[in-house]
Amino acid sequence: WCGSLVAALVSPRMAGLRVDFGLLLEPLGFIKALEWIFSIFAFATCGGFQGETTLLVSCKGVVNKTVTAAFAYPFRLNTVVFSAPDPKRCDGTWTDVYLVGNFSSSAQFFVMLAVLVFLYCIAALVVYIGYKHVYQQNSRFPLTDFAITVITAFLWLVSTFAWAKALADIKMSTGASVIPGIESCKAPGTTCRFASVTSMGTLNVSVVFGLLNTVLWGGNIWFVYKDTNLHNQSNRISQSP
């Protein structure tokens, strides 16, 4: 699309920037602006998360010592290790304890899509606002925009559900259920209690924005389709006697 746009802009018949912010009040421009804003919230709420799981450990010479495992995007939990209760590591009975699971593929897919959508929306808004005449006179632009819109709506659906499933697993892997899998907690004279885990409200919000993006892009398919020659042809066929 970008290459075709450059070629069209240098054409004497189509050249010239014609800024019209009124396009933002029309469905095509308004929805695109919303898609741009929502993509920012999607990758910011997911990609910017940092949290930790906290346990209280009692063992030889240690009582209710706080041990933590700090985790963050992209959620490779199997590389996150709990801190030791004390320098002597519970008299040698405490071994390195890792969280379970690697959810980076789902998280990175979700964030990467949001970033790409963010960039695409900027390019599309520039075309809508400044080069709408080029967009309308060259049938390839609406068709390309339509194809990208359909594909992006599908990708938002897939990535959001994949990320929602990964988030549910992350909550399980960082919650109280982590204790039964810690062998060091089963050593004689050692007890472990779950203390807390960072609230994942912002990650829940990222899923909500993923769903909103799915709805926005799915609904926008119709408005982009109306600008294509496919829609114009169907109208001419329906109106012919």
Side-chain angles (χ1 to χ4, degrees):
W1 186 11
C2 294
S4 300
L5 177 60
V6 172
L9 292 178
V10 298
S11 170
R13 185 170 60 89
M14 296 183 180
L17 175 67
R18 303 176 189 175
V19 178
D20 181 11
F21 288 101
L23 268 298
L24 293 177
L25 300 178
E26 298 180 7
L28 195 65
F30 181 71
I31 294 177
K32 189 62 65 181
L34 287 180
E35 290 171 346
W36 176 65
I37 294 171
F38 282 15
S39 68
I40 297 174
F41 283 105
F43 70 71
T45 52
C46 179
F49 181 83
Q50 292 184 335
E52 66 177 22
T53 296
T54 304
L55 306 179
L56 294 178
V57 178
S58 297
C59 59
K60 185 177 180 180
V62 176
V63 178
N64 285 340
K65 178 67 175 181
T66 299
V67 299
T68 60
F71 57 94
Y73 172 85
F75 305 103
R76 295 188 179 94
L77 301 186
N78 56 349
T79 64
V80 177
V81 62
F82 279 96
S83 58
D86 67 329
K88 295 182 179 180
R89 303 176 71 87
C90 290
D91 201 23
T93 62
W94 184 271
T95 58
D96 286 342
V97 178
Y98 291 85
L99 293 175
V100 178
N102 183 351
F103 308 99
S104 59
S105 59
S106 296
Q108 289 177 321
F109 179 30
F110 183 82
V111 171
M112 180 188 69
L113 176 62
V115 172
L116 292 177
V117 166
F118 167 79
L119 297 175
Y120 176 74
C121 287
I122 292 177
L125 286 171
V126 170
V127 174
Y128 291 169
I129 295 172
Y131 299 96
K132 184 65 174 179
H133 57 292
V134 178
Y135 182 89
Q136 292 174 330
Q137 293 175 22
N138 192 323
S139 61
R140 288 178 297 175
F141 295 152
L143 282 175
T144 303
D145 196 15
F146 174 67
I148 292 176
T149 301
V150 172
I151 294 171
T152 304
F154 174 74
L155 290 177
W156 269 123
L157 179 66
V158 173
S159 66
T160 299
F161 277 94
W163 169 230
K165 173 62 169 60
L167 177 56
D169 292 338
I170 290 170
K171 291 178 179 179
M172 288 291 295
S173 297
T174 58
S177 59
V178 71
I179 292 180
I182 301 177
E183 292 299 323
S184 297
C185 292
K186 301 175 183 178
T190 301
T191 59
C192 301
R193 293 188 297 112
F194 179 77
S196 66
V197 63
T198 303
S199 172
M200 299 187 190
T202 56
L203 297 182
N204 293 332
V205 171
S206 71
V207 173
V208 173
F209 275 109
L211 293 173
L212 289 175
N213 275 299
T214 302
V215 172
L216 271 179
W217 283 85
N220 199 29
I221 291 175
W222 166 248
F223 295 105
V224 177
Y225 171 74
K226 286 173 63 178
D227 278 348
T228 65
N229 54 13
L230 299 176
H231 180 257
N232 296 332
Q233 288 174 1
S234 64
N235 277 346
R236 285 195 295 269
I237 294 173
S238 63
Q239 292 173 3
S240 60

